[in-house]
């Protein structure tokens, strides 16, 4: 009889324990948190890291191309809409390129970022354009011989040299006071670029 009672209890208890185990196993997937991967964010981070590495390795080349593009863009629209003053960073970036790349890269920069967009906008280069560029090149040659001068101070000095040279060119067509007044807007533009962006340029290089 004792043996029969054991069999009865085993029939009652064992299935109930099995059911509890089964329920426990069934609930396990619900307890585990599902890990969702945002593939867009992952791709963005990978691309960002790649660009940072690329910029670090080819920083000077990337910046040079950027300088050409931004100057060319502003020059093109300035000439296309006949703006009375030069708002482009042409002279500012000439001095920057001369300091950090060398004057041969400055000459290439002028050719691509100034003459190219100017001709695309329908403005043929005349003797005045060549004369002003010649004055700019003289200012850049001065920059070559002052390698230890701070970029901001150098910018102020070369901007004044360019301004004085521009007055002499304009005096071939206008009296001195008109020639001096014409150049004030352009020299102010250059001085502002050096005032605002010099420290940022130093950080970049």
């Amino acid at each position: 009889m004792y043996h029969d009672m054991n069999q009865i209890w085993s029939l009652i208890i064992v299935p109930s324990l099995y059911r509890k185990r089964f329920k426990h196993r069934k609930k396990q997937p619900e307890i585990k948190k599902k890990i969702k991967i945002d593939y867009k964010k992952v791709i963005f981070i990978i691309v960002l890291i790649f660009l940072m590495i690329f910029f670090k390795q080819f920083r000077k080349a990337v910046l040079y191309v950027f300088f050409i593009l931004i100057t060319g863009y502003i020059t093109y629209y300035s000439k296309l809409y006949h703006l009375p003053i030069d708002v482009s960073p042409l002279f500012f970036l000439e001095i920057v390129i001369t300091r950090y790349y060398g004057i041969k890269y400055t000459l290439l920069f002028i050719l691509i970022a100034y003459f190219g967009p100017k001709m695309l906008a329908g403005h043929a280069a005349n003797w005045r354009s060549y004369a002003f560029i010649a004055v700019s090149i003289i200012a850049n040659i001065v920059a070559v011989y002052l390698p230890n001068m701070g970029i901001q101070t150098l910018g102020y000095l070369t901007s004044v040299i360019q301004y004085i040279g521009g007055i002499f060119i304009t005096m071939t067509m206008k009296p001195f006071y008109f020639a001096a007044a014409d150049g004030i807007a352009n020299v102010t533009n250059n001085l502002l670029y050096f005032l605002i962006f010099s420290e940022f340029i130093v950080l970049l290089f």
Side-chain angles (χ1 to χ4, degrees), residues 27-35:
K27 286 179 181 179
Q28 276 182 347
E30 294 175 8
I31 294 167
K32 289 180 181 179
K33 291 181 180 178
K34 290 182 179 179
I35 299 169

Side-chain angles (χ1 to χ4, degrees), residues 5-150:
M5 286 297 291
N6 280 342
Q7 283 184 341
I8 291 165
W9 279 110
S10 65
L11 288 169
I12 295 167
I13 292 167
V14 172
S16 66
L17 286 170
Y18 179 77
R19 280 197 298 274
K20 283 180 182 178
R21 281 185 182 181
F22 183 74
K23 283 181 181 178
H24 180 67
R25 284 179 185 176
K26 212 170 183 182
K27 286 179 181 179
Q28 276 182 347
E30 294 175 8
I31 294 167
K32 289 180 181 179
K33 291 181 180 178
K34 290 182 179 179
I35 299 169
K36 291 182 179 179
I37 299 171
D38 191 336
Y39 290 102
K40 287 183 180 179
K41 285 183 180 178
V42 172
I43 292 167
F44 175 77
I45 291 166
I46 291 168
V47 170
L48 188 64
I49 292 167
F50 173 78
L51 289 174
M52 286 171 70
I53 294 167
F54 183 82
F55 181 75
K56 190 176 180 181
Q57 292 294 322
F58 304 100
R59 182 177 68 252
K60 289 185 80 172
V62 171
L63 287 172
Y64 188 74
V65 172
F66 176 74
F67 292 159
I68 288 172
L69 291 174
I70 193 70
T71 306
Y73 181 84
I74 295 171
T75 301
Y76 174 76
Y77 282 102
S78 296
K79 300 302 178 185
L80 189 67
Y81 293 109
H82 305 281
L83 295 183
I85 61 169
D86 181 16
V87 295
S88 77
L90 179 69
F91 184 72
F92 166 69
L93 291 176
E94 283 177 26
I95 299 300
V96 169
I97 291 167
T98 297
R99 165 60 60 90
Y100 293 105
Y101 296 83
I103 199 162
K104 61 182 179 181
Y105 289 97
T106 305
L107 298 175
L108 181 64
F109 171 74
I110 293 167
L111 184 66
I112 299 171
Y114 177 71
F115 284 111
K118 185 175 181 177
M119 286 188 283
L120 285 172
H123 287 252
N126 52 33
W127 73 269
R128 284 188 67 196
S129 298
Y130 292 118
F132 278 111
I133 290 299
V135 170
S136 293
I137 292 169
I138 291 167
N140 278 277
I141 291 168
V142 171
V144 170
Y145 288 99
L146 297 170
N148 297 321
M149 186 177 282

